[in-house]
Amino acid sequence: MILILEDDAERTKRFQAVLQALNCSHALYIWRDAHTMILEAGPLLESSLFLSLDHDLFPESGEPDPGDGYMVAQWLTSMPVVKPVIIHSSNGERAGWMAGEFDLAGWPHWRVLPFGDDWIETDWRRIVRKLIKTQSRKSN
């Protein structure tokens, strides 16, 4: 499984397209709300390949505050399961906070800056490809 925190529909489609292009057969779970991800992702962690987290989440009209990626990072590092994490936030300060949480807890993580028109198809894809290859070696 691949677990993603992302509130932008266009980015979500692009993440899905990259995974399909990589022939990734892992189930994909995407949350646009940190609170909901925290409530639902616990049982999925053990089987997950990696997580990808945005920081800044914006509510749709009439929705409550969706929280943020730092909340998810704090929750994840309190869990006994350690998985690789990609931080894909343009909020440099808060992405640094997230990376700090993972550093302190010994979680492997990468930072992808969402700049340019093809960062998902190039930078994010490069890390995902590496994580998929690493996992397939562990399975064999």
Side-chain angles (χ1 to χ4, degrees):
M1 283 176 238
I2 296 168
L3 313 179
I4 297 179
L5 178 64
E6 177 57 61
D7 64 342
D8 183 275
E10 187 229 332
R11 284 184 180 181
T12 297
K13 288 178 188 172
R14 291 170 57 202
F15 288 135
Q16 292 169 326
V18 165
L19 293 169
Q20 185 176 8
L22 291 172
N23 295 316
C24 179
S25 60
H26 295 277
L28 177 62
Y29 292 83
I30 301 173
W31 292 269
R32 54 172 288 103
D33 177 290
H35 306 288
T36 306
M37 184 176 190
I38 289 168
L39 287 173
E40 297 175 354
L44 305 174
L45 280 177
E46 184 71 38
S47 300
S48 66
L49 178 62
F50 69 89
L51 297 93
S52 189
L53 306 175
D54 193 3
H55 179 274
D56 297 340
L57 305 172
F58 301 97
E60 290 187 345
S61 181
E63 288 185 346
D65 175 15
D68 58 48
Y70 184 63
M71 292 171 54
V72 175
Q74 291 177 307
W75 170 75
L76 285 170
T77 57
S78 74
M79 302 300 284
V81 176
V82 175
K83 295 292 179 172
V85 177
I86 301 170
I87 301 168
H88 66 267
S89 177
S90 59
N91 185 331
E93 180 179 359
R94 296 303 173 102
W97 289 13
M98 293 167 70
E101 284 292 318
F102 294 122
D103 282 337
L104 289 172
W107 280 55
H109 61 87
W110 293 262
R111 174 86 194 279
V112 174
L113 297 173
F115 294 118
D117 294 335
D118 64 350
W119 66 271
I120 293 172
E121 295 78 10
T122 56
D123 303 328
W124 190 82
R125 180 185 190 279
R126 188 176 311 115
I127 296 168
V128 168
R129 186 170 176 231
K130 175 182 172 182
L131 292 172
I132 291 170
K133 282 185 175 183
T134 300
Q135 181 63 27
S136 67
R137 279 190 223 123
K138 287 180 181 178
S139 298
N140 294 333

